[in-house]
Amino acid sequence: MRLVVQVKPLPTPEQAAALEATLHTVNRAATLVARIAHQQRCFRNFDLRKHAYARIKAEFGLAAQAAQHVIKKVADAYRTLHANLAVGNLGKPGSRRRRAAETRPIVFRSRAAQPYDDRCLSWQHATRTVSIWTVAGRLKAVAFTGSARQLALLAEHRRGESDLIWREGAWYLYATVEVPDRPVAAPDGFAGVDLGIANIATTSDGIRHSGKHLNALRHRHRELRRRLQAKKTKSAKRLLKRRRRKEARLAAQVDHAIAKQIVTEAERTGRGIALEDLGGIRERVRLRKPQRVTLHSWSFHQLGAFITSKAARAGVAVIFVKAAYTSQECSACHHIDKRNRPDQATFSCTSCGFAEHADVNAARTIASRGETGWAVSHAA
Ligand SMILES: [Zn+2]
């Protein structure tokens, strides 16, 4: 499985100046390449090299590898733009936003991220430094730091390109790592996980992971957004962007922690994990309007993806089950009835009298569907 590890370079002031000058230079070069691509109507990496390679090397003093990376970055940016245009993400044909995207060449921010391959950037794990190409010559020993887990992943499994990133006043290196999956163990039963809003995740063991802290932050941000959007100033936009990032970071942290607990518990007890088929979640949930907003910004997919990837690394089986009626089905007798669920939190079976927290009951139903589904798909 491919993961991205984030570490923090700790450059000296001189090293930082060289890194900064490098980002400025490669992005000016990228903007020029984008203009050439736009004028020549030539967007593929290979073709673009013929038009731009010699010129940006000479004009910006780029090393051969750096020049190639600049061109590839431009080709990738156009590929993304064209894909976005094709699926209508930039508005209907003829709309102002779309016309602007079609008629103007791409411009790169002066601090946009830059990819590095192993020749331009090498890792020394023992001394925890990188050697990196810059426009001011090669920096031999730029220190970096990161969490123990990230450093271990990096030292053992790093492979492929790394990105140099400047974000909100700090430097980052994003490195790709390839971690081998463990073979999936035959599960001894399944733990069911119900994903929700008030409770982010509830397991069939009765553990509820509430999103209180995160929901409160989201609510505050929504209020702030309403006030700032009315202003439309540049500083308001910047603040909004920062808030959005903060929210996304917190959500990722919360999701990581929940996914870890769920996978660790399943691994410890030798069980697999049953999840609802994520595609159906939004359609299934019917909510009052304020909650629906929360739901749409909600990261079901992220949590599902974290659980799936951590399970793959731990060798824990994951099965996706149909989401239909999980909230109305009795996990004891499988009787399905709308009236089984008199309110948001309560489940009370009209047939056998079984009562449980509604989310726990749903998680148990998901677990039993997982067991059935696994038995069917592994019968042969
Ligand atoms: Zn029942």
Side-chain angles (χ1 to χ4, degrees):
M1 149 164 341
R2 184 172 292 181
L3 300 167
V4 174
V5 163
Q6 172 189 314
V7 297
K8 238 177 157 157
L10 304 166
T12 64
E14 298 85 72
Q15 289 173 336
L19 292 179
E20 181 144 17
T22 303
L23 280 194
H24 281 281
T25 305
V26 293
N27 285 309
R28 268 170 46 226
T31 296
L32 172 67
V33 176
R35 210 165 62 222
I36 295 171
H38 187 79
Q39 282 162 358
Q40 311 276 340
R41 308 309 296 166
C42 159
F43 302 106
R44 279 168 45 201
N45 188 20
F46 182 79
D47 304 328
L48 208 43
R49 264 193 216 176
K50 280 183 277 186
H51 293 287
Y53 178 71
R55 182 162 168 200
I56 58 169
K57 258 185 82 178
E59 224 166 284
F60 296 95
L62 299 184
Q65 293 302 318
Q68 286 181 17
H69 277 295
V70 164
I71 292 167
K72 184 169 172 288
K73 177 160 98 168
V74 174
D76 288 346
Y78 272 111
R79 180 145 23 87
T80 306
L81 174 68
H82 292 149
N84 275 322
L85 287 170
V87 297
N89 284 346
L90 294 167
K92 295 198 177 86
S95 75
R96 235 172 80 190
R97 191 158 154 243
R98 186 174 177 127
R99 257 206 324 276
E102 283 166 340
T103 54
R104 285 181 219 148
I106 291 179
V107 174
F108 287 82
R109 286 178 300 114
S110 64
R111 283 165 165 164
Q114 177 68 9
Y116 280 85
D117 67 13
D118 285 355
R119 275 171 289 187
C120 302
L121 188 153
S122 59
W123 298 83
Q124 284 82 41
H125 301 291
T127 54
R128 210 171 285 169
T129 57
V130 290
S131 155
I132 182 170
W133 172 86
T134 74
V135 286
R138 193 159 182 119
L139 302 178
K140 285 278 159 54
V142 180
F144 66 89
T145 182
S147 73
R149 193 181 153 266
Q150 306 245 301
L151 293 174
L153 277 173
L154 195 63
E156 279 176 56
H157 303 295
R158 196 200 62 79
R159 207 160 164 196
E161 288 182 357
S162 309
D163 286 341
L164 176 65
I165 286 164
W166 169 269
R167 200 183 65 213
E168 292 165 60
W171 292 102
Y172 295 92
L173 279 167
Y174 285 9
T176 313
V177 296
E178 295 244 13
V179 185
D181 292 345
R182 287 226 326 250
V184 173
D188 182 14
F190 276 83
V193 180
D194 178 64
L195 303 180
I197 295 140
N199 295 308
I200 297 180
T202 303
T203 70
S204 48
D205 299 334
I207 295 164
R208 275 180 272 155
H209 300 274
S210 95
K212 243 184 223 164
H213 181 48
L214 190 54
N215 275 334
L217 180 83
R218 284 190 159 136
H219 187 74
R220 283 204 305 279
H221 281 180
R222 208 159 55 236
E223 295 300 311
L224 184 76
R225 197 145 56 226
R226 207 164 292 153
R227 287 206 308 274
L228 289 177
Q229 264 163 355
K231 284 188 176 174
K232 288 185 177 161
T233 60
K234 230 179 180 174
S235 70
K237 271 188 193 156
R238 219 170 16 238
L239 186 59
L240 274 173
K241 197 169 169 186
R242 236 186 349 251
R243 292 293 164 130
R244 248 196 321 270
R245 280 181 176 159
K246 188 178 172 189
E247 190 178 307
R249 271 202 300 277
L250 180 67
Q253 269 173 27
V254 170
D255 284 350
H256 261 303
I258 293 173
K260 189 177 174 186
Q261 279 188 45
I262 289 171
V263 172
T264 306
E265 182 61 13
E267 188 186 15
R268 188 184 71 75
T269 52
R271 289 177 296 174
I273 295 170
L275 291 166
E276 283 172 295
D277 196 354
L278 293 165
I281 283 175
R282 279 189 188 166
E283 288 73 27
R284 178 175 63 91
V285 184
R286 297 266 177 277
L287 292 162
R288 285 173 296 120
K289 213 175 170 198
Q291 264 198 336
R292 207 180 297 147
V293 177
T294 319
L295 176 66
H296 277 292
S297 62
W298 202 260
S299 42
F300 285 120
H301 285 272
Q302 177 169 274
L303 182 54
F306 286 172
I307 291 174
T308 311
S309 72
K310 286 179 200 296
R313 264 182 289 156
V316 169
V318 172
I319 189 164
F320 288 92
V321 303
K322 276 198 188 126
Y325 304 112
T326 47
S327 63
Q328 297 173 18
E329 181 176 328
C330 173
S331 62
C333 74
H334 303 294
H335 174 64
I336 296 175
D337 191 334
K338 222 188 217 166
R339 289 170 304 162
N340 282 350
R341 188 148 176 212
D343 61 64
Q344 188 68 28
T346 317
F347 186 92
S348 175
C349 182
T350 56
S351 175
C352 75
F354 175 78
E356 182 51 278
H357 187 283
D359 293 344
V360 176
N361 177 70
R364 287 193 183 170
T365 297
I366 292 165
S368 89
R369 287 185 190 184
E371 240 159 278
T372 312
W374 186 272
V376 168
S377 61
H378 290 73

